Amino acid sequence: MRFAGDSGDGMQLSGNRFARATAVLGNDLVTMPDFPAEIRAPRGTLHGVSAFQIHFASHDILTPGDQPNVLVAMNPAALKTNLPLVESGGVVIVNEDEFTDRNLDKVGYKTNPLEDDSLAGYQVYAVPMETITKRAGEEIEGVTNREAIRAKNFFALGLLSWMYGRPTDVTIDWIEAKFKNVDAVRQINRAAFMAGHNFGETTEMFGVLYEVKPAEMAPGKYRNVNGSVALAWGLIAGSVRSGLPLLYASYPITPASELLHELSRHKNFGVRTVQAEDEIAAANMALGGAFGGHLGVTGTAGPGIDLKSETVGLASIYELPMIIVDVQRAGPSTGMPTKTEAADLLAVMYGRHGESPVPIVAPATPGGCFDAAIEATRIAVRYRTPVFILSDTYLGNSSEPWLIPSVDDLPEIDPNFTVEANHDDGFMPYLRNTDLARPWAVPGTPGLEHRIGGLEKEDGTGNISYDPENHERMTRIRAEKIERIADDIPALEVDDPDGADLLVIGWGSTHGAIAAAARRVRGWNGKVAIAHLTHLNPFPKNTEAVVRSYSKVLVPELNTGQLTMMLRARFLIDAECYSKVQGLPIRAAELEQVIRERL
Amino acid sequence: MRFAGDSGDGMQLSGNRFARATAVLGNDLVTMPDFPAEIRAPRGTLHGVSAFQIHFASHDILTPGDQPNVLVAMNPAALKTNLPLVESGGVVIVNEDEFTDRNLDKVGYKTNPLEDDSLAGYQVYAVPMETITKRAGEEIEGVTNREAIRAKNFFALGLLSWMYGRPTDVTIDWIEAKFKNVDAVRQINRAAFMAGHNFGETTEMFGVLYEVKPAEMAPGKYRNVNGSVALAWGLIAGSVRSGLPLLYASYPITPASELLHELSRHKNFGVRTVQAEDEIAAANMALGGAFGGHLGVTGTAGPGIDLKSETVGLASIYELPMIIVDVQRAGPSTGMPTKTEAADLLAVMYGRHGESPVPIVAPATPGGCFDAAIEATRIAVRYRTPVFILSDTYLGNSSEPWLIPSVDDLPEIDPNFTVEANHDDGFMPYLRNTDLARPWAVPGTPGLEHRIGGLEKEDGTGNISYDPENHERMTRIRAEKIERIADDIPALEVDDPDGADLLVIGWGSTHGAIAAAARRVRGWNGKVAIAHLTHLNPFPKNTEAVVRSYSKVLVPELNTGQLTMMLRARFLIDAECYSKVQGLPIRAAELEQVIRERL
Amino acid sequence: MATAEFTKQDFTSNQEPRWCPGCGDYAILASVQSVMPDLGVAPHDTVFVAGIGCAGRFAYYMDTYGMHGIHGRAPALATGLAVSRPDLFVWVVAGDGDALSIGGNHLIHALRRNVPIKILLFNNQIYGLTKGQYSPTSEVGKITKSTPFGALDHPFNPLALALGAEATFVARTIDVDRKHLTQTLKQAAAHPGAAIIEIYQNCNVFNDGAFDALTDKGTKDTNQIRLEHGQAIRFGVEQENGVVQNTDGSLSIVAVDDVGEDHLLKHDAHLADPSLAFALANLAARPTGPTPIGVFRAIERPVYGQAIDDQIASARDKLGDGDLATLLNSGDAWDVE
Amino acid sequence: MATAEFTKQDFTSNQEPRWCPGCGDYAILASVQSVMPDLGVAPHDTVFVAGIGCAGRFAYYMDTYGMHGIHGRAPALATGLAVSRPDLFVWVVAGDGDALSIGGNHLIHALRRNVPIKILLFNNQIYGLTKGQYSPTSEVGKITKSTPFGALDHPFNPLALALGAEATFVARTIDVDRKHLTQTLKQAAAHPGAAIIEIYQNCNVFNDGAFDALTDKGTKDTNQIRLEHGQAIRFGVEQENGVVQNTDGSLSIVAVDDVGEDHLLKHDAHLADPSLAFALANLAARPTGPTPIGVFRAIERPVYGQAIDDQIASARDKLGDGDLATLLNSGDAWDVE
Ligand SMILES: Cc1ncc(C[n+]2csc(CCOP(=O)(O)OP(=O)(O)O)c2C)c(N)n1
Ligand SMILES: Cc1ncc(C[n+]2csc(CCOP(=O)(O)OP(=O)(O)O)c2C)c(N)n1
Ligand code: SF4
Ligand code: SF4
Ligand SMILES: [Mg+2]
Ligand SMILES: [Mg+2]
């Protein structure tokens, strides 16, 4: 992490204080101050930039000065000089207030990098640090505007402290002690620090962000994407490849709002975005759009999933394509909205009254979010069913180098609309094809007028039916239709170079940690097999064979054992969960240790 | 079943037609007409009553004329003469229009039995049959009011046909043929028949009702109760025994509305009922009442469960007592609202985002609903947790003779309110006792002011906390608290007189069928063990030992295998589900057959 | 297709209605089926979206496209459809419980957004399908299954609520008055944005006679205040009564002879300010005495679906049609060999 | 306990507020904490129920009992509490998104029922906590994170909505006007049923200056129309402007000199008919010009919690206190030996 600003901005101080608070936590760390050559360079110029870099981790820091993955830039100059150091996809937090035309000009920016697309490869957060600090100052007697603005380095420090969960008391104590004789300064520094900290927490602006290690890279053209953008683009791709216009209806909620923000920018793809009055409405809007022949998608997180459940049940009996994105966050209830967790698997699997199975797709990497969106579209459209995509805060906010796919290689998705009667007696909306999928006839098609509803329907005709056998049949057909998707998805791949006894099987964002842990284990000649599920319902056909061929099965999960439960129930194997519920991702080193104990 | 009315009311005709439609279904049946002695007794008198009784079942009817369990009474005279024949707790459908003061007088009723409490032992449905039939007539040309009213026997027939799922075409065809030359009569009879049928379906007035075989009866005082009344009274009992005033907030939905109706009659117990604007509001109202120190209860069915899930999650992190009643009905979605099913187990178990385990209690019999309500109150109050009660349409609508408990034998429930600070630093709302339950301090208590919310809270203080370890700790404590309830509930009882290899284990309303099937199996010297879970989360402590001690475990369920899944996942036993999803209960004979195949 | 091609039959599905005989829903169904051919939209371009309740069954009886949704959510379901398919003619049918109790929020948001949907609110002041609990339009004191000692909730005035929610078209009519109902439907159909029509509908099983004051031969002429845009508001058997405005913004009913014709309030449904329409909605708290029916308000405001389309068109104008490859390759990229 | 015993400190919790510096929420918090001792209710008999949003954090800062609920449901949570514990003094705090978007239905139902709760609607015309999407009170065309090309939804006028929902007490005030805010809170506190106060609250991070017209030194006197019951409605630096009623029910702003003092509209907050209050609410669609603040409406109507209690009392009068054994043994019973 790197603080950069004008030499007058107090970057060294911020850096040192952060380092101190970090050291208290027992983290290993290496710092690297980076002063400007001149003692007093003119404000806002490139050579006046002062920086301070900190590298910290829980274990064995190997390189003293890796590329920083977080940069705090207090002005355009600091951004310009320090950006090249930042790793692709890193986080850039800028003090928006300094990005005036004059300052931009001074360092040769022709357009404002916050507004043009030049920072697209990074995760940028623009925060009006000076404005906020100034406000904080207004409430303190005897603090001038200037003094207040000068405290902005403490704001930045507070914000970063929040992001990394550093303790506040260490810094507060230091401020109290250091400025004990300068009442106004003490107060404004303290206020600025807390303002930064609270800003992070209150506005839900920042997720905690972690570096994802890039795997070995195949040749091709790369760019950085985070999971949110990749997912949004995947939905657009699904729309393009199916020819179905995209309707994205959503109610804002951290961290899923990013999808709404991103998609609302792409109206030239015919994307319709609606900010609904709540999550229930959003789900219904998506479903209404689906009835109209659009790709109806709704996205949410945590509490929103609960609210959508009734509508997902309706979609499942309507048998219409629809996608529900769940960017999981730490629960239960409001929980810790900016922290990651993956504890909604059973909620999306079973969280509806009655029997209404729904396919679930879960990306493993930020880039994988793109593929998951297309795959969800494919399944939804082919099988006429709602499909869940389970992402999480960590995937959504993390970025990684991503091999840009060729559009032609993306699957083509045939909506296969029905345009004429499918039976001698006219149109039968519940007459199925060999996939058990029903016809999709959209309003506007002459002669195929029909009504669908949530009451049980007669096989074939779709008319309301209270017939007992019919209900049983329809219940089983709906289930069978979803089960059969297993024939149409890739087999579960196992990576087991050494013939291991232990299988580590995961889902979702634990992928990186599992792969890295396996690399480490194999590094000391440990034997471990790994596999990763991206289809959670149904499971790939060979899942049973895979899991049963290992004497030990370990399932690392960011919950208390949800996939573990599904595997145990389905395959009667004594799968063990390595569970972590801290709002944090699992780390490779930690998992390495867990694996070691089981070898 | 018995049709009874004035001799001019066409009861024989209705009975015969019903019998005919029943025969078509392949049911065994015995009919017993019961004419009045006089040919033309004065209308509405006791001796003018004409009746027709039908007994039908799928298998082996043993008695030609058991007590009927359904009576249709077209006037007060028919009610008076035929009621004594009806079995206790049977269904009585009356033609409300004839219950005028004059007619009541004629047969010596001093007060209207529909309004006094004299029919309390039955399930009474008052339907204005004449009014409706008259209306039906208004739309048909050439039908006089009189003719229309005369067709009310067809209305009754239509209604009963709907209740028992008899085919309509048999009767319609017959009407068409029989009256093919009398246009008006044909039309009005047909219209009346369909009106009756549709009335049943459209108004969701009737559940399909089945007889529950009384077990061997212990000595004591008995009365009839159905599951709805028993549950409502159980809640009142929970309120009385805990001293917590009852707040029941609910949104109408079949079949849970009965609870609202019943509870709203008992205001002299201090019961507050609120018909909320929706299920979400209802759940929040109950929870708000709980914060205020009341027994907060909300009840619903099917779709309502989905809607309440977010609030149940909030209650679980609030750690406040609350009860959520789910009278399950056939799903998914709107499904078949008047039919039974038990497919919400996983939805209440897992249907919330994040990790928020909640205890589940499921009565096995109508009378058991009373005990379940008290048990839910006890657990909720003792452990400060929301608790689900899973009843179903079948239990709710069925009645059985019930041994009236002595009030003193009911458990006493101590709300154990905190009234003073529990720590040197003041009041700590999340400081736990040995049950891991937190203190319950209600507004109005001086000095214990505190705030609770859905954000993760610091252990002990309850202040907002984003600390990773704290979140993990709190998640595990909440789970552990629920798990430990296993120490505080009765062991699972096994009925295995002969040392069987096969265990049939059930939950909920399958109890009757399982017990009866076991009786039958043992009748031909088959060996079968049976057990019934009334606590679904946590399971009784000995559940693992019990299910693991049988080589075969069969789980009859009115769903596609939900308890089965839980048992398999938890205990890694190859439990098999006998699944029925027809909106109908499992029958003893059918289950007997299933067991036979597995011996 | 030309209007003339369609008949009532074309809008009548093969499902037999299953309401109670005498239910007001039949009359509404017949009127709607009859008027549809006159509206110039083909059955296959028409969609009925219904909520849950007796009223909700309506969708099954129209031979158009239809969705029977879940309880209370029809306006949201219809919004999704109407904004993605502005070419369709989208109707919503909902009971008073469906629209105003569980679905109240979707209703008011659809109205403020001015989504192009026509909402038929079947107000029978009762929950029919669940057999007779009181609804948000039932009167205080009503004895029902859930209120054996009388309801305590002050009811909504649906039109006042709609006006408070910025509705652009607000009307009221009566199930059995086919002519008035038909006229009102036509006006709603012609309205470009969201239209709401409250239809007083008799539930003869659980709430019979709730609207007798407005439907009974003997009283209806005395009680129906028929609003006509541009006309002075007067009513009564001989048009002997009228409505005047008071200085406190409220309205009163007067004998025309007492005030003189010129002092009668003139109805103007096109006022930008909703205050007059609101005052008219509040003239009768319950339909038990003189009660206005007709179109209270009909004003133009940008239509939500259209506005979304316009944004898409303008984005395409400015940026060109979206190209997926360009999007994926936008921003910083690098090659790995 | 006597009022005098409590101080602002007694209502201030030990949690440090975490709003952005300069946020209007601070001013509201300070005013509420200061006024509470004057209201005569002890902190332990007071409950703040809050929704989710920046505003929702309010509950943590009051040293009363408090519930931070889930998004939008605070009015329902508070209803449950208020009807079971009518002895408590129950307040609701909700943002514009919380109260009017996801929670709109609970809000309007609490108002029509006249539940004894005091609702503080913090209207900053934006979603603060989720970092700046538009809200149901944002203006058309607003550029936000979720509307890069401008919002299309016509906003609610919260007070018009409340009046359409039969609210008995409706008021508006401003975060930074401590005196007016305090006065308004006192009036709401004294109201026996449901009270809603819209508080214009500046979100200086995501929607700074939305209420400048009413708060800036230079413009506030020109734009604040202060409603006082029983007084003619006039305003302006020298009270040179006033409000008159038009014949179509709407209101206009005029120069007092042009019409004469006597023709000014007199404010009457106690009118049974809500039409005048509604017209006042519609006088200013957005707070960018002359805008009424103060109490629009304050009328008496049976209070929901009280009415429930009365039913219980009367049932007990008639039937005696419920006895469980009697209940269980009621109706037909028989003995088995
Ligand atoms: C989520 C949900 N809650 C409750 C119900 C039960 N329910 C079905 S219709 C209805 C209300 C019916 O009243 P109304 O909307 O006025 O329609 P009507 O039957 O009077 O036409 C209710 C409560 C349901 N189907 N779904
Ligand atoms: C069910 C649910 N949906 C969405 C959210 C995310 N969320 C939290 S606060 C909020 C809206 C905030 O706006 P407002 O109510 O105006 O309050 P403010 O922050 O402006 O004070 C949203 C959408 C949530 N917490 N829960
Ligand atoms: S219950 Fe009422 S509204 Fe429903 S169909 Fe019957 S008469 Fe009509
Ligand atoms: S985001 Fe806006 S409303 Fe929220 S605390 Fe900051 S200034 Fe206040
Ligand atoms: Mg109704
Ligand atoms: Mg807001």
Side-chain angles (χ1 to χ4, degrees), chain B residues 219-223 266-269 272 277 284-285 292 294 318 442-445 448-453 463, chain D residues 44-45 59 62-66 68 77 80 83-85 106 113 309 311 316 320 322 328-330 333-334 336:
Chain B
K221 193 166 170 203
Y222 282 79
R223 57 165 298 143
H266 298 288
K267 298 224 185 288
N268 61 327
F269 281 87
R272 286 171 174 78
E277 58 271 28
N284 278 278
M285 288 176 188
H294 283 222
Y318 271 5
V442 301
T445 316
L448 305 194
E449 294 84 356
H450 66 284
R451 279 68 49 194
I452 58 177
N463 292 334
Chain D
H44 64 262
D45 289 327
M62 297 296 301
D63 199 9
T64 61
Y65 283 89
H68 189 212
L77 205 51
V83 302
S84 44
R85 291 288 305 275
H106 309 301
R113 289 196 187 105
D309 270 20
Q311 279 195 340
R316 286 187 152 142
L328 302 185
N329 286 280
S330 63
W334 67 91
V336 170

Side-chain angles (χ1 to χ4, degrees), chain C residues 298-323:
Chain C
I299 62 149
E300 298 237 354
R301 203 171 63 210
V303 174
Y304 194 63
Q306 188 54 51
I308 294 182
D309 270 18
D310 291 349
Q311 279 195 341
I312 289 178
S314 111
R316 287 187 152 140
D317 265 7
K318 256 189 255 161
L319 309 167
D321 272 11
D323 175 72

Side-chain angles (χ1 to χ4, degrees), chain C residues 80-144:
Chain C
L81 180 62
V83 302
S84 43
R85 291 290 305 275
D87 58 311
L88 300 175
F89 194 34
V90 182
W91 295 74
V92 168
V93 176
D96 43 324
D98 192 68
L100 298 171
S101 194
I102 190 168
N105 206 33
H106 310 302
L107 180 75
I108 61 180
H109 281 269
L111 293 174
R112 79 168 172 99
R113 290 195 187 107
N114 208 26
V115 180
I117 55 180
K118 316 302 159 205
I119 303 166
L120 307 181
L121 168 57
F122 287 28
N123 184 4
N124 55 14
Q125 303 187 348
I126 199 82
Y127 284 11
L129 190 73
T130 49
K131 60 176 179 176
Q133 299 84 7
Y134 74 115
S135 93
T137 56
S138 301
E139 67 275 15
V140 170
K142 190 173 197 80
I143 306 283
T144 70

Side-chain angles (χ1 to χ4, degrees), chain B residues 88 117-118 120-122 217-224 233 236-238 240-241 247 262 265-278 280-294 310-311 314 318 320 370 400-402 404-407 410 441-455 457 462-464 466, chain D residues 1 6 10 13-15 18 42-50 52 57-71 73-88 102 105-107 109-110 112-113 304-305 308-309 311-313 315-317 319-337:
Chain B
S88 302
D117 259 354
S118 62
Y122 305 90
M217 288 188 173
K221 193 166 170 203
Y222 282 79
R223 57 165 298 143
N224 269 300
W233 290 6
I236 293 175
V240 168
R241 299 299 288 174
L247 172 68
E262 179 62 26
R265 297 175 57 214
H266 298 288
K267 298 224 185 288
N268 61 327
F269 281 87
V271 175
R272 286 171 174 78
T273 54
V274 179
Q275 182 176 312
E277 58 271 28
D278 65 15
I280 300 176
N284 278 278
M285 288 176 188
L287 185 54
F291 185 68
H294 283 222
E310 189 195 6
T311 309
L314 179 66
Y318 271 5
L320 278 177
F370 181 84
E400 64 168 5
W402 178 57
I404 301 172
S406 144
V407 171
L410 301 176
V442 301
T445 316
L448 305 194
E449 294 84 356
H450 66 284
R451 279 68 49 194
I452 58 177
L455 290 162
K457 34 189 64 49
N463 292 334
I464 298 172
Y466 281 81
Chain D
M1 292 202 199
F6 298 105
D10 293 322
S13 84
N14 62 359
Q15 299 294 300
R18 303 207 154 184
H44 64 262
D45 289 327
T46 305
V47 185
F48 275 80
V49 182
I52 301 286
R57 292 282 177 119
F58 197 94
Y60 291 108
Y61 308 137
M62 297 296 301
D63 199 9
T64 61
Y65 283 89
M67 278 190 280
H68 189 212
I70 46 180
H71 196 31
R73 318 301 173 188
L77 205 51
T79 295
L81 180 62
V83 302
S84 44
R85 291 288 305 275
D87 58 312
L88 300 175
I102 190 168
N105 205 32
H106 309 301
L107 179 74
H109 281 268
R112 80 168 171 99
R113 289 196 187 105
Y304 194 62
I308 295 182
D309 270 20
Q311 279 195 340
I312 290 179
R316 286 187 152 142
D317 265 7
L319 309 166
D321 272 11
D323 175 73
L324 189 54
T326 312
L327 174 67
L328 302 185
N329 286 280
S330 63
D332 275 346
W334 67 91
D335 283 305
V336 170
E337 315 267 294

Side-chain angles (χ1 to χ4, degrees), chain A residues 202-203, chain D residues 19-20 23 25 54 124 128 201 203-206:
Chain A
T202 307
T203 66
Chain D
W19 294 302
C20 308
C23 176
D25 290 350
C54 295
N124 54 14
Q201 174 247 324
C203 168
N204 57 292
V205 171
F206 295 114

